[in-house]
Amino acid sequence: MNRRQWMMGSLLAPAARAVPAQAGPKNIVIASSNGARACARAREMLEAGGDTLEAVIAGVNINEEDPEDNSVGYGGLPNEEGVVELDASVMHGPTRRCGAVAALRNIKTPSKVARLVMEQTDHIMLVGEGALRFARAMGFQEENLLTEKSRLAWLVWKRSLRDPRGHGNWGEGLSAPAKKPAAWLREQFPKADEALLAWAWEVALHPPSGTINCLALNAKGEMSGVTTTSGLAWKIPGRVGDSPILGAGLWVDQDVGAAGSTGRGEENIRVAGAHTIVENMRQGMPPREACLDALKRVARNFSGDRSKLVQFDLSFYALRKDGAYAGASLWAGATRQGKLAPRRFAVNDGGQSRLEGCAYLFERKPE
Ligand code: ASP
């Protein structure tokens, strides 16, 4: 990849909302594209004088508790054994404290547990069984986080697994007559609604990822952030992504700003993305350039090989202490009918939340 190709994406990317050089702190919340409701709730709390961490956690609790959000909390897509495992991290700028949980089962709101790790222990991160025991001790109710919709998707995924000869363990044996995939699927799940089955097939073949990252600044100049997720669908039990890794999925430095991420966690961990972005801003890069620089490091880890890079995506979000902000992703959103649909991120600095376009490094070929 040459320098021109590098630049192309950056130049074509929509400009981040201009922030006047003299802008001071103000109540503003930004989040990944699934965070419009979270931003609105968090901003309302900031307006009422609430603490920035309290505000972002209350915001992402909407996604964590929503069974229709299959990438976070309750209803999240499970690991390969059909068990939902959640990761979350929080950072509170004013006190410079942080907390995280990883591979936590049975608790809907891992962001609240992460906050209690920060407040009630001398540790920063609890994982697996230990995190669950801690949550129980803190009075959290255990519940099955697997919704019927997510369970169906998991079963469809299991039944889609085949060896090179086309044989799978889940489904009919060799003696059964051959069937077309659609007919086979319908037979396997006769009661499932058509649209639901189509969705389940899609997520079985293309394991989705999804997360919410939410960052806030208040009028006093205080900042906090949270990242919470059910991680990668069909992961190996115990797999931990970037979301609970402080410095990768989230970083807040009260003197500079905050950053967070969504997308393929493994690649973010390899560049410590959120920390890199905050350090870039400390050195004077605006949020947009700070995010794009971290993405260039991701591309560098593959020597810029697009055939590999195209297999995943990663997005960063950054909010500077003066209220400047940006979102940036490795890839522009899909190009459909010659039109570019950039990835988006949510912003609320008053009134309704809006979605703004992310800057990006690369464009996909038109479909
Ligand atoms: N970053 C998350 C992880 O790797 C997943 C995602 O954001 O899609 O666990």
Side-chain angles (χ1 to χ4, degrees), residues 25-353:
K26 56 184 175 184
N27 290 330
I28 175 169
V29 185
I30 72 166
S32 40
S33 62
N34 52 352
R37 290 176 300 164
C39 285
R41 181 187 277 182
R43 177 128 195 320
E44 229 169 74
M45 289 178 67
L46 296 184
E47 283 294 302
D51 172 69
T52 46
L53 184 57
E54 212 169 293
V56 290
I57 290 177
V60 301
N61 287 162
I62 297 175
N63 297 65
E64 288 178 329
E65 288 166 0
D66 181 357
E68 291 305 314
D69 188 326
N70 300 114
S71 68
V72 183
Y74 179 53
L77 291 172
N79 65 23
E80 65 180 16
E81 291 174 358
V83 180
V84 180
E85 286 184 340
L86 305 177
D87 301 334
S89 59
V90 300
M91 282 190 94
H92 186 236
T95 55
R96 298 176 187 273
R97 299 180 81 197
C98 52
V101 289
L104 174 65
R105 300 181 173 195
N106 298 354
I107 307 289
K108 260 185 188 173
T109 49
S111 62
K112 288 186 181 170
V113 185
R115 180 189 185 156
L116 287 170
V117 172
M118 175 185 100
E119 288 175 347
Q120 307 279 330
T121 78
D122 190 26
H123 307 318
I124 283 181
M125 187 175 201
L126 295 177
V127 306
E129 179 64 23
L132 177 57
R133 287 191 194 182
F134 171 76
R136 272 192 212 126
M138 291 291 120
F140 283 82
Q141 289 294 318
E142 277 188 75
E143 50 200 308
N144 179 11
L145 304 182
L146 195 65
T147 55
E148 273 308 292
K149 187 175 170 186
S150 291
R151 192 181 65 81
L152 177 98
W154 170 65
L155 277 182
V156 168
W157 170 71
K158 274 183 95 72
R159 290 181 190 191
S160 71
L161 298 177
R162 293 278 178 276
D163 68 17
R165 289 188 178 146
H167 175 258
N169 291 335
W170 287 62
E172 295 156 330
L174 275 181
S175 53
K179 292 185 190 99
K180 293 207 167 120
W184 170 82
L185 205 61
R186 160 89 6 253
E187 238 179 66
Q188 297 283 312
F189 302 97
K191 292 190 186 139
D193 162 275
E194 203 66 49
L196 182 60
L197 216 47
W199 167 80
W201 186 244
E202 174 58 28
V203 296
L205 296 189
H206 306 109
S209 54
T211 299
I212 179 164
N213 165 246
C214 188
L215 309 170
L217 166 72
N218 70 13
K220 287 185 266 178
E222 296 168 341
M223 307 195 73
S224 288
V226 58
T227 304
T228 178
T229 188
S230 54
L232 201 59
W234 334 132
K235 61 192 173 186
I236 296 174
R239 178 265 186 189
V240 173
D242 58 332
S243 307
I245 307 297
L246 292 154
L250 178 68
W251 193 251
V252 179
D253 183 323
Q254 182 55 51
D255 298 334
V256 178
S261 73
T262 60
R264 188 171 161 77
E266 280 73 3
E267 299 317 326
N268 182 20
I269 291 171
R270 295 210 290 154
V271 299
H275 185 266
T276 295
I277 291 165
V278 172
E279 287 307 303
N280 281 344
M281 293 196 291
R282 190 196 304 281
Q283 302 308 322
M285 277 189 207
R288 179 174 175 277
E289 279 61 37
C291 292
L292 287 169
D293 173 73
L295 290 164
K296 286 175 187 174
R297 296 180 192 214
V298 172
R300 173 69 189 87
N301 281 345
F302 291 90
S303 306
D305 181 346
R306 287 194 186 208
S307 68
K308 294 208 170 131
L309 291 165
V310 78
Q311 296 178 40
F312 67 91
D313 205 354
L314 183 61
S315 299
F316 288 125
Y317 314 95
L319 178 59
R320 206 168 57 186
K321 209 190 159 195
D322 64 355
Y325 62 88
S329 55
L330 191 60
W331 291 95
T335 314
R336 287 197 189 87
Q337 291 152 359
K339 282 200 175 160
L340 187 71
R343 284 194 180 274
R344 301 191 178 279
F345 66 107
V347 183
N348 192 309
D349 52 9
Q352 292 203 332
S353 298

